[in-house]
Amino acid sequence: MSNPLSTPATAAVIPLPARLIRAAAIACFALLCGAPAHADPVAEGRAVAAVIEDYLHGSSYNQHDRLTRAFHPDARLYLSQGTDGMREVGIAEYAGWFEKNPGQFNGRTGRLLGVEVDGTIATAKAEIVVSKDKARFVDLFLLKKLGGQWQIISKTATRESAPPHDRQVVLVVSNADTMPGTRLSAGNSFSELIHAYAGFREAGYGVQFVSPEGGAVPLAYIDTRNPEHKAMIYNGDFLWALANTRRPDEVNAADYAALMYIGGSAAMYGVAENRGLQALAVRIYEQQGGIVSAVCHGSAGLVNLTLSDGSPLVGGKRVTGYPDAFEDRNAAYYATFPFSIEQRLRAGKGQFHHGARGTSHVEADGRLITGMNWESTRGVVTAIVQRLEAGSGAAGSAPDSDG
């Protein structure tokens, strides 16, 4: 974890409950977009997100009808042309580019970055990676609610170079904001979150968050004196993602090359026993040939992972996590823990190792990659990216156009 669990929060180290994460995300995105935030835009925001998902999925899988229904019939799209030019097209012409090979993945991978609702108008932001073109597009949408239905009325995009892959990773976080039976705050480690998010994004990977219940999650150990923390506190895309995590049943294992359990005190509650998260991790590992990883107390998520042959995923593999030697067993927080990470991993025949306190220690055993503490987060991400890059294959094709 970022700080000892028994250390009270100071003015600079702030545990942030899930409800405040949602409010902060809305405020940050509103500031970035130059629009005021409404008191409760969550329901409308989800409706707008569903429209953008129709666009993203329809354009990635050549689903003409699903793509078309996201747009108003008179919608206009302003697309890049050349290095600094622009061309205007209507939705009928644009959707016509996605009529070949209906239902087949065409190499475009998209994700929603943010939504802002203001009455009957809304803005949205999404990312599209087209592996064939080694291109990354950022799409901006203007939507209008007409007849009770949200529709895209305008879209524009910018293009930049991207690595020749469209791989995605999913980070597992917890919804627990209180340690059971106490008034002690629980949260997901902010340091681990920002180091994992930034590391994957810098390497050109898309990042999605999943939690047992979905929605906003609590954050812990935010240090406003830390420049990295301060920068991410005002990152609208990042906070929006944490305010809108997906449930396991909303995540398709086939979309991801790696899954990583994030630590913090909250990781001990509601994650390891969640059947949906277990199934997601095992599918990525077995069916996708992907990577399962964890850092610090996030290794609690590994203890119940069982492969299709009935054996523990950690069985016979080198693994690490926050060790018993570093826990304060006399502290109130420790009494709430449902189990010892180290003991459960050893019980699953995992070969548990750890390094010195306050140092980075990473164990990489094939497609199982784990880190001992928050200081190990960057090392875990580096090991994951190196493994994925070494095994990356040819990507699919996509229409040669932006967004």
Side-chain angles (χ1 to χ4, degrees), residues 76-301:
R76 308 305 294 174
L77 295 84
Y78 301 92
L79 310 180
S80 300
Q81 185 170 22
T83 57
D84 59 357
M86 182 183 73
R87 57 176 168 162
E88 179 184 354
V89 300
I91 182 55
E93 178 182 353
Y94 182 78
W97 300 343
F98 299 89
E99 291 181 329
K100 294 182 179 180
N101 303 316
Q104 294 185 19
F105 178 62
N106 58 31
R108 295 161 54 93
T109 300
R111 70 184 184 108
L112 183 62
L113 297 177
V115 169
E116 171 60 24
V117 178
D118 193 347
T120 60
I121 60 173
T123 57
K125 183 179 180 182
E127 174 192 70
I128 304 289
V129 175
V130 182
S131 55
K132 176 179 71 71
D133 299 333
K134 300 181 181 179
R136 174 181 180 266
F137 300 96
V138 175
D139 286 8
L140 291 179
F141 305 87
L142 178 63
L143 299 94
K144 177 74 175 174
K145 191 174 186 181
L146 299 166
Q149 181 180 355
W150 286 101
Q151 291 182 302
I152 301 169
I153 61 174
S154 181
K155 182 187 89 74
T156 189
T158 186
R159 173 177 178 156
E160 61 185 41
S161 297
H165 54 69
D166 57 352
R167 309 307 294 271
Q168 306 286 309
V169 297
V170 60
L171 305 184
V172 180
V173 288
S174 171
N175 299 104
D177 58 12
T178 306
M179 298 182 188
T182 75
R183 294 184 178 181
L184 297 174
S185 296
N188 299 280
S189 169
F190 197 65
S191 289
E192 294 171 33
L193 280 167
I194 66 174
H195 290 164
Y197 181 86
F200 285 121
R201 298 294 297 129
E202 289 166 5
Y205 284 74
V207 180
Q208 182 61 259
F209 295 95
V210 63
S211 64
E213 300 171 14
V217 297
L219 305 179
Y221 321 125
I222 299 177
D223 187 349
T224 55
R225 300 164 299 183
N226 184 309
E228 291 181 316
H229 286 216
K230 190 179 296 184
M232 294 305 285
I233 288 171
Y234 296 103
N235 185 312
D237 294 348
F238 177 66
L239 285 182
W240 190 90
L242 289 173
N244 295 273
T245 66
R246 296 183 179 182
R247 299 189 311 271
D249 62 339
E250 297 175 320
V251 174
N252 181 8
D255 292 338
Y256 301 96
L259 175 146
M260 182 177 179
Y261 290 94
I262 295 297
S265 55
M268 296 298 300
Y269 317 107
V271 174
E273 63 270 30
N274 187 276
R275 296 294 182 86
L277 291 174
Q278 293 171 22
L280 176 64
V282 171
R283 286 185 188 126
I284 289 174
Y285 188 82
E286 284 195 313
Q287 298 178 14
Q288 299 304 116
I291 293 171
V292 168
S293 64
V295 63
C296 198
H297 284 80
S299 290

Side-chain angles (χ1 to χ4, degrees), residues 25-81:
I26 293 167
C28 282
F29 196 78
L31 287 172
L32 293 174
C33 294
H38 282 266
D40 186 22
V42 176
E44 296 291 355
R46 289 187 179 277
V48 170
V51 173
I52 303 302
E53 184 61 30
D54 280 341
Y55 159 74
L56 294 174
H57 198 90
S59 62
S60 292
Y61 290 88
N62 296 324
Q63 295 180 336
H64 178 275
D65 292 345
R66 185 169 181 181
L67 173 61
T68 302
R69 78 184 184 195
F71 290 82
H72 187 274
D74 296 326
R76 308 305 294 174
L77 295 84
Y78 301 92
L79 310 180
S80 300
Q81 185 170 22

